[in-house]
Amino acid sequence: IICIKATDGSVFGSSTTTPWRLQKGWYGMDDTANNRSNDSFLFRSLSGKMEVYPYTGSDDFVQYCSAQILAIGGGDWQQDDSPYGPDESHGIGLLIDGDLAGGESNSCATFANPRLFDAEDGEE
């Protein structure tokens, strides 16, 4: 479980079913190969209410881990399928810089999530 409390007080993060490891390329579907479900999800607390975005099964872009970044959810929406509209940024659901000092969040099809925090908050 990754849980982050930003300097503005917002709380967000993820839970993944596959243990984290340094690896080239995306992973996180290991458990489904063993007939286990993938119970990974992204979450955020918004105005005191917890919002959970479970794995959708739309792609295999669940986890990515290198010395430079941790990433959760990398699937792109098919054309205009995003329920959050054309103005919502698309990309990696949650990206954390290797030094843990910054990151970003975007809407992604892997978890059908909106941005978990405002873009400016990730630069703090």
Side-chain angles (χ1 to χ4, degrees):
I1 294 175
I2 295 172
C3 186
I4 299 166
K5 184 173 184 179
T7 55
D8 70 351
S10 61
V11 177
F12 51 90
S14 72
S15 175
T16 54
T17 55
T18 301
W20 285 96
R21 62 182 178 264
L22 290 173
Q23 179 174 318
K24 292 182 181 180
W26 288 91
Y27 63 95
M29 296 304 299
D30 305 2
D31 292 334
T32 57
N34 296 321
N35 295 321
R36 293 177 58 200
S37 65
N38 189 313
D39 295 327
S40 298
F41 60 87
L42 292 175
F43 67 88
R44 70 178 177 178
S45 177
L46 192 61
S47 301
K49 180 183 173 212
M50 185 67 71
E51 296 179 356
V52 177
Y53 305 96
Y55 173 67
T56 64
S58 68
D59 55 57
D60 294 342
F61 303 122
V62 179
Q63 294 167 252
Y64 183 93
C65 182
S66 72
Q68 292 78 32
I69 64 167
L70 285 175
I72 304 100
D76 205 2
W77 294 100
Q78 299 296 320
Q79 297 188 11
D80 295 325
D81 287 345
S82 171
Y84 304 107
D87 294 333
E88 180 79 11
S89 65
H90 299 175
I92 294 175
L94 178 58
L95 182 141
I96 304 167
D97 295 339
D99 63 4
L100 306 178
E104 66 181 59
S105 178
N106 299 284
S107 175
C108 76
T110 309
F111 295 99
N113 62 287
R115 281 186 291 195
L116 302 177
F117 57 89
D118 290 331
E120 298 81 36
D121 295 341
E123 299 303 318
E124 298 180 274

